[in-house]
């Protein structure tokens, strides 16, 4: 599996198709402090979205220029499974689910 340099993509997990896209880049602000990258997940033909938040990159915490994690299909699949285990049910209605994962998507 190759690394993805795009801002969106599709991944198949357990027979279902999930669309994903970057919601927010890693950044540092006076109000929020250091924030990691956030991606949005949505199962194809479903209604409820999940946002997966990664920790801020160490380089951002050290004051270096921000950098995005390189995401591959395996990392996105781990994010989908982490969101599902945290209670995300894509076929239900309601507010989006926000899940925090580690740097590898678990």
């Amino acid at each position: 599996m190759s690394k993805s340099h795009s801002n969106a993509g599709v991944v198949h997990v357990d027979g279902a198709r999930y669309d994903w896209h970057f919601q927010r880049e890693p950044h540092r602000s006076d109000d929020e402090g250091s924030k990691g990258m956030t991606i949005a997940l949505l199962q194809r033909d479903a209604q409820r979205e999940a946002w997966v938040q990664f920790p801020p990159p160490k380089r951002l915490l050290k004051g270096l220029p921000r950098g995005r994690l390189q995401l591959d299909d395996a990392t996105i699949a781990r994010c989908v499974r982490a969101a599902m285990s945290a209670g995300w049910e894509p076929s239900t209605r309601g507010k989006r689910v926000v899940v925090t994962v580690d740097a590898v998507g678990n």
Side-chain angles (χ1 to χ4, degrees):
M1 292 181 200
S2 64
K3 292 185 177 185
S4 173
H5 296 283
S6 67
N7 292 329
V10 175
V11 67
H12 296 272
V13 178
D14 300 330
R17 184 175 172 156
Y18 296 88
D19 297 315
W20 66 271
H21 66 272
F22 281 102
Q23 189 65 35
R24 183 178 60 212
E25 294 283 339
H27 67 280
R28 182 171 179 80
S29 71
D30 293 335
D31 298 338
E32 299 177 320
S34 296
K35 292 285 190 174
M37 171 180 63
T38 301
I39 62 169
L41 299 171
L42 183 64
Q43 184 177 359
R44 186 65 54 98
D45 300 323
Q47 300 178 35
R48 195 170 187 192
E49 190 175 48
W51 282 10
V52 178
Q53 298 177 335
F54 289 84
K58 290 182 181 178
R59 63 183 297 116
L60 188 64
L61 297 174
K62 293 178 182 177
L64 298 171
R66 68 182 183 173
R68 180 193 300 172
L69 289 173
Q70 297 301 315
L71 298 175
D72 57 14
D73 290 344
T75 303
I76 300 295
R78 285 191 297 270
C79 290
V80 169
R81 289 188 177 103
M84 297 284 244
S85 67
W88 177 45
E89 296 177 16
S91 60
T92 62
R93 294 180 59 189
K95 293 171 52 175
R96 77 178 61 91
V97 174
V98 179
V99 179
T100 301
V101 297
D102 62 12
V104 294
N106 290 320

